[in-house]
Amino acid sequence: MRRISAILTLGLVANAFLACGPPPRKPKPVEAPEPPPPPPPPPKCESLEENCKATSSTKARIPGVPYVATPPPGWTYAQTDAALIATSASGGVVVLTAITPVEPAFKLTKQRADKIKELAELVSVKPRRRQVLLSVPTIRKEIVGVEASLWQRPGATRPVEDGDDVRGAILVVSIPLEEKNIFGFGFAGKDDGDSTKAVFAAILSIREGKAESAQSEDTPEEADDSEASSQ
């Protein structure tokens, strides 16, 4: 009887163990997903290879002076150490820098001619063969509160991709400041009225300020709205 009772007891214990089963396993901790990598920093727009596109709110620095300009919206621009450069697919160009003017007047005329040659090579513009003389200006216009001198010189060319050289004129600008002059030029094809207007508008946009680049995700329409709301 004792043996039978022991067997029955072991059976009941075994049945109870089987009914309960092994203790539940602890669930594995869920690992939190890795945060996405931070977005890349915005380009500094220091070379044309960065493909920065100007908008109507772009404030691009002119090297050597605390002044900025707005390149034509949609044009590719770069804030290089040598100059502020803006180019268009149709061949238009704006290039602005600063010079320390020399005296007397005839030396200043030569200085301007030498600088135009240097800047023209920078943006692949070929002025007419004879030297560009810049003494008596073609136009005088107030820019940044001072009387600026402008010279229009036809007979320039600039190569463009997948096409013949663009023939047109350069518009040279010199703005006298206290110690330096803002100096540069714009180029547009002779039949390219839009680029001609854009070049002139970019020159007139020169103003004192700090560079504040607007990237391609800021459309000109959005920029215009923001400007209107701030006024």
Side-chain angles (χ1 to χ4, degrees):
M1 291 296 293
R2 289 181 180 177
R3 186 176 180 182
I4 293 173
S5 177
I7 293 172
L8 291 174
T9 301
L10 289 173
L12 292 172
V13 172
N15 288 335
F17 178 79
L18 292 173
C20 295
R25 296 182 179 180
K26 293 183 179 180
K28 293 183 178 180
V30 179
E31 296 182 0
E34 294 185 3
K44 295 181 179 180
C45 303
E46 295 177 344
S47 70
L48 292 176
E49 286 72 21
E50 292 178 88
N51 200 35
C52 292
K53 301 294 184 182
T55 76
S56 59
S57 62
T58 300
K59 298 177 183 178
R61 65 178 174 84
I62 300 172
V65 289
Y67 283 75
V68 297
T70 297
W75 288 27
T76 303
Y77 75 97
Q79 306 169 113
T80 74
D81 292 336
L84 166 59
I85 301 170
T87 64
S88 72
S90 64
V93 165
V94 173
V95 54
L96 297 168
T97 190
I99 62 172
T100 302
V102 296
E103 295 181 352
F106 76 91
K107 288 188 177 181
L108 178 58
T109 298
K110 184 179 186 305
Q111 181 190 30
R112 289 169 178 160
D114 291 342
K115 196 64 179 181
I116 283 295
K117 182 179 179 181
E118 177 186 327
L119 295 176
E121 291 177 354
L122 192 65
V123 292
S124 302
V125 169
K126 295 180 180 179
R128 58 185 175 182
R129 290 185 178 180
R130 64 177 181 170
Q131 190 179 36
V132 179
L133 296 178
L134 303 171
S135 52
V136 180
T138 309
I139 308 168
R140 295 186 187 275
K141 188 169 184 62
E142 184 175 309
I143 304 176
V144 299
V146 300
E147 187 178 75
S149 299
L150 296 100
W151 298 262
Q152 187 171 3
R153 293 292 184 266
T157 60
R158 184 171 188 263
V160 294
E161 294 182 5
D162 303 326
D164 297 330
D165 290 357
V166 175
R167 297 183 178 277
I170 60 175
L171 180 65
V172 182
V173 60
S174 179
I175 305 174
L177 305 176
E178 290 185 1
E179 297 181 358
K180 295 188 176 184
N181 288 359
I182 296 175
F183 187 76
F185 72 89
F187 168 82
K190 62 180 180 179
D191 298 323
D192 190 352
D194 290 341
S195 290
T196 300
K197 293 177 183 178
V199 164
F200 197 60
I203 290 173
L204 294 181
S205 77
I206 296 171
R207 58 204 181 278
E208 193 170 6
K210 185 178 180 181
E212 185 178 323
S213 304
Q215 298 307 314
S216 55
E217 57 265 22
D218 299 325
T219 62
E221 290 78 12
E222 290 173 344
D224 289 340
D225 291 341
S226 64
E227 288 179 355
S229 63
S230 64
Q231 292 178 352

